[in-house]
Amino acid sequence: VHHASGRHDEKNGMMSRAKVLTIDTMNPTVKKVEYAVRGPIVARAVELERELSEGMKKPFSEVIKANIGDAHAMGQQPITFFRQVLALCSYPELLSDSTFPEDAKSRACSILNSCGGNSMGSYSPSQGIESVRQDVARYIERRDGGVPCDPDNIYLTTGASDGIVTMLKLLVCGEGATRAGVMISIPQYPLYSAALAELGAVQINYYLNEEKFWSLDISELQRALDEARLYCNPRALCIINPGNPTGQVQSRECIEDVIRFAAQERLFLMADEVYQDNVYAEGCQFHSFKKVLFEMGPEYSETVELASFHSTSKCYMGECGFRGGYMEIINMDDDVKAQLTKLLSVRLCPPVPGQALMDLVVNPPQPGEPSYERFIKERTATLSTLAEKAKLTEQVLNTVQGISCNPVQGAMYSFPRITIPEKAVKEATDMGQQPDMFYCMKMLEETGICLVPGSGFGQREGTYHFRMTILPRTDKLKILLNKVQEFHLKFTQQYS
């Protein structure tokens, strides 16, 4: 007996049913999603860690993960004041404990007073706790030299990722040749390509110029836009500054050019600024898109639509697990803003501990308060160590023949270009693998070092890269860089 819903199993007379949800009947856009930062290389790294712990012999004693910008996992220390306040908020009984400084206690009390029932376990408004949004607005005003910021334009988010995906959702519409297109930099952080794949939007690639320190060129934006207009409706331009995975910091002049381009071509601007405190190179400075937009005058500041994003996960905080973030929306249509609020309300609210942490980041201890000196000392130590590691990474990688690394001007990654011998390219291609995936997988198996291949971020045809974080402790980073050096020479000899 055959039924559409299954087949008859003669042995026990029972129906064996085909599953309702199969790889062929699932949402096709989900299958198109790829996220290299936690891709097959990382899965293998986790397996290798397990094998090592079970006593299996490997040519290395530990797996060093340099695949993801997870600061605390790599040994970066949390800021004491932030953790003290969060501990007090989570367990208010501690407010009577004399080991906590008074400024941490008063801050915890004011955060708790803005929570329903004085508990961090209650929901907050969908847009985020009002007092936190006010503090974020004041922080932005200070950062941008007095450019006004309206707390109503601030939305607290579950990390910056949540805000970015939400904005993309609002922008996607149309079918066929009118389908929304979104311009993203190549190389890019794969959140963008993954979100666009899931939303069924068109990804429009514009290439950063590796020869000029991964700078952004307006003529390249124009080329990408003109080509895309033939098959989709380009609506938004995404910029990551400082860059991930490429570590460049945009000049003010470049930001002005981008704003003019967006205005002229009627594009919604999205500025991913989560690495804004991570700037290391001499002569480089972070300029926010919002500040530059307003300094360009009303012709731009009253018309260009901009969403900018920040997070608690990077910079000197590195508090990825709390999933705290915000976005600021400029010049958004009021009716769309109402729709945005509605969309966010479906999810109720971002995690309240993440909102509390965001509040501390934008409003840290001030001079004269008991926690100030310790806070400044910890913050400075973290950022100066990162600056040293950025320099060290660039210097060591550039001593290796067949590896060239641009200066790590900011953020937390280097994205060096690697030369892969023809023979290795052929072997990889025969295996149906990207050559840099083949290279990184071989490096992992032989050295225990986990990097992400450049193909996961996008790169110019015929070029190969890998991304590595500069986060491991300095002693570990030196070991890692030496191992990369040795592996590259060995790999090159093996395939030459």
Side-chain angles (χ1 to χ4, degrees), residues 269-284:
L269 259 181
M270 291 174 62
D272 177 340
E273 298 175 332
V274 300
Y275 297 100
Q276 55 189 262
D277 292 319
N278 297 106
V279 176
Y280 318 119
E282 288 289 312
C284 283

Side-chain angles (χ1 to χ4, degrees), residues 12 61 77 161 190 196 199 265 274 309 313 339 368 388 467 493:
N12 53 20
S61 57
Q77 291 306 297
S161 307
L196 294 174
L199 294 167
E265 301 293 348
V274 300
F309 307 90
S313 302
Q339 294 291 324
E388 284 161 25
R467 185 189 85 163
Q493 283 162 0

Side-chain angles (χ1 to χ4, degrees), residues 199 302 344:
L199 294 167
E302 289 175 9
L344 293 170

Side-chain angles (χ1 to χ4, degrees), residues 371-396:
S371 301
Y372 178 71
E373 278 183 26
R374 183 173 187 176
F375 166 74
I376 289 295
K377 198 173 153 193
E378 290 175 348
R379 181 181 187 273
T380 307
T382 298
L383 290 173
S384 60
T385 305
L386 282 167
E388 284 161 25
K389 293 195 287 194
K391 214 170 187 56
L392 174 75
T393 303
E394 178 205 338
Q395 283 169 345
V396 176

Side-chain angles (χ1 to χ4, degrees), residues 62-122:
E62 63 170 339
V63 171
I64 303 180
K65 289 200 191 111
N67 61 295
I68 195 166
D70 189 352
H72 292 187
M74 295 282 177
Q76 186 173 307
Q77 291 306 297
I79 298 288
T80 307
F81 179 77
F82 294 173
R83 289 302 183 89
Q84 286 172 331
V85 177
L86 289 167
L88 292 161
C89 288
S90 303
Y91 190 58
E93 304 280 310
L94 293 172
L95 287 162
S96 56
D97 187 325
S98 60
T99 55
F100 286 84
E102 286 309 309
D103 54 346
K105 288 180 182 179
S106 66
R107 189 61 71 78
C109 288
S110 70
I111 289 171
L112 288 170
N113 287 338
S114 59
C115 294
N118 293 93
S119 167
M120 217 163 41
S122 55

